[in-house]
Amino acid sequence: MNDLQPIAFDGLDTSRPLLIAGPCSAETERQCLDTAHALAREGVQIFRAGIWKPRTKPGGFEGVGPEGLAWLRRVKAETGLYTATEVATRAHVEAALGAGIDLLWIGARTAANPFAMQEVADALQGVDIPVLVKNPVSPDLELWIGALERIYNAGIRRLGAIHRGFTSVDKSIYRNHPVWSIPIELRRRIPNIPLFSDPSHIGGRRELIAPLAQQAMDLGFDGLIVEAHCSPDAAWSDKAQQIAPETLAYIIRNLVIRDMNASTESLNELRSEIDKLDDELLDLLARRMRVSQRIGAYKKEHNMPVLQARRYEEMLGRRARQAVERGMDREFMRTVMQAIHEESIRQQMRVLE
Ligand code: PEP
Ligand code: MN
């Protein structure tokens, strides 16, 4: 995918991160217009609104349907904002294209389903429109890349990705875990992909939008898609995470946008220090694995099992506590120790063969 193009429209300033904002759902014509006028005054460039809403359970508000497309046309005519909506089926794509929607996105539930992705891709064959693909609900980078490839193979070149976090069984402050390593790895695999952050769906709560948006900017994301509503508390869907247009403007004004091209002497020095430390880490790990192999040999000689669960649990707990004492995240240390332990077990098993 090395011929991707930026998500650009005539007259859009691409020197700053692109800002897509608008309500979770288009509810009424009045709500769309009031929200859009306020957002246009605050410098937003693209207006989002869900016309078809994929709900976890039946019976909730499932979107106004095609009637709302006319409201988005009016938004565009009155405010000059470009318009964006979510599509999940061929019928959605055809209706949205017919109504002159400027940008399409594919939701997290759809991105998780290759049949649905292929149907959307087939409907886009030969069309030139920017398309953003959200990460699938499960933390599965290959599934996300596969969804992007299907759209790419349909001929779409203004193609981008939206990071909206992942479902997790672990409780946390987030509605959807960010698992930042996944969008970072996506960037490594497809370096030129425009990457957007959706702090609204990651956080699930208003107060998390500002810090999450800043984290995305610090990681060099290209844009943001944020849910904004003229009357957030009265929203028909996702009301805990929607903010007023003025609040959004305040958050955006306070974002620190870092210059990704500024690479100073001292930064290079720090990077080489990191490289040296990584070399040492690698050496240490190799030494640790050699000790594991000797333990494997000992266990074999004395007919002992490889995995000793009690010792492993104690080790994990102790290292996690030490990590916290030294200013690191407990879960981070558990993940590191689990990965090291897995490789140790593999090395011990090799001795047993
Ligand atoms: C949305 O953007 O309103 C939406 C339904 O998001 P997601 O697909 O990320 O859940
Ligand atoms: Mn939403």
Side-chain angles (χ1 to χ4, degrees):
M1 289 193 245
N2 49 20
D3 59 345
L4 292 180
Q5 290 160 14
I7 305 295
F9 300 98
D10 288 345
L12 272 198
D13 173 9
T14 48
S15 65
R16 279 185 63 81
L18 211 56
L19 182 56
I20 305 171
C24 178
S25 307
E27 298 163 4
T28 65
E29 186 168 41
R30 193 68 271 142
Q31 167 248 13
C32 284
L33 287 169
D34 286 354
T35 308
H37 277 288
L39 289 171
R41 280 196 297 276
E42 303 291 0
V44 167
Q45 298 143 311
I46 303 172
F47 181 76
R48 64 149 282 161
I51 296 287
W52 300 278
K53 300 303 298 178
R55 306 312 296 272
T56 301
K57 290 188 177 150
F61 172 58
E62 295 191 320
V64 290
E67 180 193 0
L69 292 169
W71 309 340
L72 295 189
R73 280 178 90 100
R74 198 160 157 207
V75 160
K76 182 169 176 161
E78 285 190 14
T79 65
L81 286 168
Y82 289 98
T83 55
T85 200
E86 172 177 348
V87 290
T89 66
R90 171 178 285 278
H92 296 167
V93 172
E94 288 170 356
L97 293 175
I101 299 293
D102 299 291
L103 178 151
L104 304 177
W105 85 81
I106 292 149
R109 291 158 193 79
T110 310
N113 179 345
F115 292 128
M117 278 311 303
Q118 194 55 50
E119 179 181 325
V120 170
D122 290 343
L124 285 167
Q125 192 77 44
V127 179
D128 179 22
I129 187 170
V131 178
L132 302 178
V133 181
K134 289 199 173 195
N135 66 255
V137 281
S138 50
D140 183 343
L141 176 64
E142 299 310 320
L143 195 57
W144 194 5
I145 292 179
L148 287 159
E149 281 174 355
R150 286 177 200 276
I151 303 296
Y152 178 85
N153 290 344
I156 298 289
R157 290 298 175 269
R158 284 184 289 166
L159 177 62
I162 301 174
H163 172 228
R164 52 76 80 194
F166 304 89
T167 303
S168 167
V169 287
D170 295 331
K171 276 211 175 68
S172 88
I173 55 166
Y174 303 108
R175 178 178 176 194
N176 292 295
H177 271 241
V179 199
W180 291 104
S181 58
I182 294 185
I184 291 170
E185 181 62 11
L186 177 73
R187 211 344 107 72
R188 197 185 66 76
R189 295 268 295 272
I190 315 175
N192 53 345
I193 190 130
L195 193 50
F196 287 70
S197 169
D198 177 346
S200 310
H201 288 89
I202 297 175
R205 292 194 279 137
R206 282 168 206 158
E207 57 275 27
L208 290 176
I209 292 173
L212 283 165
Q214 184 61 58
Q215 270 176 292
M217 292 301 103
D218 293 346
L219 288 170
F221 278 52
D222 304 282
L224 296 168
I225 175 164
V226 184
E227 287 189 341
H229 191 292
C230 55
S231 179
D233 286 326
W236 297 2
S237 59
D238 285 353
K239 69 176 169 194
Q241 68 193 36
Q242 300 209 52
I243 51 177
E246 301 71 34
T247 314
L248 174 66
Y250 176 81
I251 290 173
I252 299 300
R253 270 199 302 278
N254 284 288
L255 280 183
V256 180
I257 315 284
R258 303 184 202 281
D259 182 355
M260 297 304 284
N261 299 318
S263 174
T264 61
E265 266 317 288
S266 56
L267 185 57
N268 286 336
E269 266 168 40
L270 291 171
R271 282 185 175 148
S272 75
E273 197 172 321
I274 288 276
D275 287 343
K276 274 203 281 261
L277 288 169
D278 284 348
D279 283 339
E280 285 172 30
L281 261 178
L282 219 83
D283 281 343
L284 271 176
L285 283 172
R287 270 171 57 196
R288 193 186 190 283
M289 293 306 157
R290 283 198 294 277
V291 177
S292 289
Q293 287 168 3
R294 283 168 51 202
I295 292 181
Y298 181 91
K299 286 178 178 167
K300 183 179 182 184
E301 210 174 298
H302 295 84
N303 211 13
M304 292 164 72
V306 165
L307 182 65
Q308 288 174 322
R310 253 239 331 264
R311 172 171 154 74
Y312 175 48
E313 265 313 314
E314 274 166 19
M315 186 269 284
L316 270 187
R318 184 155 45 90
R319 296 304 180 193
R321 275 194 304 281
Q322 286 176 327
V324 172
E325 280 164 19
R326 300 176 71 169
M328 285 178 280
D329 182 66
R330 178 188 163 75
E331 281 313 307
F332 158 73
M333 190 46 68
R334 285 184 69 93
T335 309
V336 170
M337 293 313 295
Q338 275 161 355
I340 294 176
H341 183 253
E342 216 170 282
E343 177 61 11
S344 289
I345 295 283
R346 201 182 64 83
Q347 302 257 352
Q348 291 190 23
M349 300 286 272
R350 274 216 328 236
V351 176
L352 288 187
E353 275 163 12

